[in-house]
Amino acid sequence: MKFNYTKAKLPNRSRLQIVGCCNGLLCLYDLDSTKSLYVVNPMTGDYVHSPPKLKMERRHVTKVGAVQGFGFGPVTNQYKVIRVIKKKVSHPNEHYESLGEIFTPGTNRWRRIGKPPFPANKEFYGVPLNGAIHWIANDEIPNSKLICAFDIDSEKLRPISLPPDFDKNPEGMMLGIFGSFLYICNIYSDLNLDIWVMKIYGVEESWTKQVVIARNSLEPDFREIRPMMILKDGNVLILRDDKNLELYDPRLKKFGKIEIKGISSIWDAVTYVASYGSLRDIVKRECVRDLYVKSK
């Protein structure tokens, strides 16, 4: 799908980022526009956008950062976008606060949901799994349970424990999904890069070290690697530095680049399963249809 900037009423140089992918729908965040979020079905070209974001109503407040997550609640049968803002408040004394907002596609408003903990890494986007959106919450959750799970149906927070003996450096910790399993790794570890998988969701004892990437196999100048999926042959598909797709072979402890024709560089990537369901039926409102849809 080519996103039609004119029809979406976006500046031609708007910067779009992928917030999340769930059930064949993508959530895109426009860094430059006041109508900043789009829920898109790239198979049909349908999309809806959110209303303008909530405005800060108090004086003495400066926004420091904001992150988004996108997921589906199986009980309410609703998709929701959560936005967590970190604010610096200067009165009566200087301190930081977080504010949560929810947007449900099919409505035309944002709702406040209290003060969920802000992610340790502000570039990180929430991971949707089992009706919840997950992120690393630094030390704002007690007892060192740094994984924060936001239940989409109840709109309540709950902690998930880390694997035992895990290197707890919040800024280097990364969450993701391998198939239907939650994984966590620490890309800034001085040792090998261990990828832990939670085999039974919510059960601390089920954390299993599934993949080990040898530190000496990484290029010295790498900034970030994001594991995408484990293939049937055991190789791991990885997005490196938001520009290269690579395969890591755990047996040979080597990386191999993947060339994609027609694209000069990769800015973002997600694992995706197509859906041809009507977005109009899901959100119960009129959608915009982009005419630049081509089957691949």
Side-chain angles (χ1 to χ4, degrees):
M1 172 183 180
K2 292 183 178 181
F3 207 86
N4 189 329
Y5 280 81
T6 303
K7 185 177 293 186
K9 298 180 180 179
L10 290 171
N12 287 332
R13 295 187 179 182
S14 289
R15 296 171 295 156
L16 293 176
Q17 286 186 329
I18 299 176
V19 170
C21 176
C22 185
N23 298 341
L25 300 181
L26 294 177
C27 183
L28 306 176
Y29 176 53
D30 175 27
L31 296 169
D32 302 318
S33 173
T34 55
K35 295 182 187 294
S36 60
L37 284 162
Y38 292 81
V39 177
V40 179
N41 186 338
M43 294 294 103
T44 64
D46 292 339
Y47 64 88
V48 294
H49 59 70
S50 70
K53 297 173 291 189
L54 284 179
K55 296 180 179 179
M56 290 175 289
E57 299 172 355
R58 295 163 48 194
R59 298 169 60 189
H60 314 293
V61 171
T62 303
K63 188 179 78 172
V64 177
V67 293
Q68 287 75 219
F70 174 64
F72 176 73
V75 176
T76 58
N77 201 36
Q78 288 182 326
Y79 290 87
K80 293 180 182 178
V81 180
I82 180 174
R83 184 169 184 263
V84 183
I85 303 168
K86 188 174 184 179
K87 306 181 296 181
K88 183 178 180 181
V89 182
S90 59
H91 183 79
N93 57 322
E94 188 172 287
H95 64 284
Y96 291 92
E97 292 182 357
S98 64
L99 169 68
E101 304 172 350
I102 282 282
F103 167 63
T104 303
T107 68
N108 196 37
R109 65 189 182 97
W110 288 91
R111 294 182 290 109
R112 290 193 177 184
I113 55 168
K115 299 180 179 180
F118 192 79
N121 184 347
K122 70 177 184 179
E123 301 301 325
F124 178 77
Y125 289 85
V127 175
L129 182 67
N130 284 1
I133 299 173
H134 308 76
W135 65 88
I136 304 296
N138 209 327
D139 57 358
E140 296 183 52
I141 291 182
N143 302 321
S144 299
K145 296 180 179 181
L146 301 184
I147 300 177
C148 177
F150 177 82
D151 187 89
I152 297 170
D153 287 319
S154 66
E155 299 185 356
K156 302 291 185 183
L157 290 163
R158 52 186 167 81
I160 295 180
S161 298
L162 294 173
D165 303 321
F166 188 78
D167 185 1
K168 298 174 183 177
N169 175 8
E171 291 189 358
M173 288 159 59
M174 178 177 292
L175 286 176
I177 301 174
F178 281 156
S180 58
F181 301 117
L182 189 71
Y183 79 74
I184 189 170
C185 61
N186 188 343
I187 62 172
Y188 295 151
S189 174
D190 293 330
L191 306 174
N192 292 333
L193 197 157
D194 299 331
I195 303 177
W196 292 77
V197 173
M198 180 173 267
K199 295 291 187 177
I200 304 174
Y201 182 77
V203 178
E204 179 179 356
E205 294 75 19
S206 72
W207 281 113
T208 304
K209 189 187 297 185
Q210 182 151 346
V211 179
V212 176
I213 298 179
R215 173 60 58 176
N216 58 11
S217 68
L218 295 169
E219 296 182 10
D221 60 344
F222 91 98
R223 299 193 312 273
E224 177 180 294
I225 66 172
R226 189 191 312 169
M228 304 294 295
M229 62 189 302
I230 299 178
L231 306 183
K232 291 182 180 179
D233 59 5
N235 289 343
V236 185
L237 181 65
I238 286 175
L239 178 65
R240 183 172 68 84
D241 295 337
D242 288 335
K243 62 182 180 180
N244 292 319
L245 275 176
E246 302 185 2
L247 279 178
Y248 178 74
D249 188 329
R251 297 172 295 277
L252 299 178
K253 299 181 180 180
K254 289 184 178 180
F255 283 90
K257 290 186 178 180
I258 299 175
E259 299 295 334
I260 302 178
K261 293 183 179 180
I263 186 169
S264 57
S265 61
I266 295 174
W267 296 102
D268 208 349
V270 291
T271 54
Y272 178 81
V273 178
S275 169
Y276 291 90
S278 169
L279 183 57
R280 184 179 291 103
D281 293 340
I282 293 171
V283 302
K284 309 300 182 186
R285 62 174 284 196
E286 188 68 23
C287 303
V288 179
R289 171 154 291 182
D290 194 306
L291 300 179
Y292 291 88
V293 180
K294 296 180 180 179
S295 13
K296 300 274 185 183

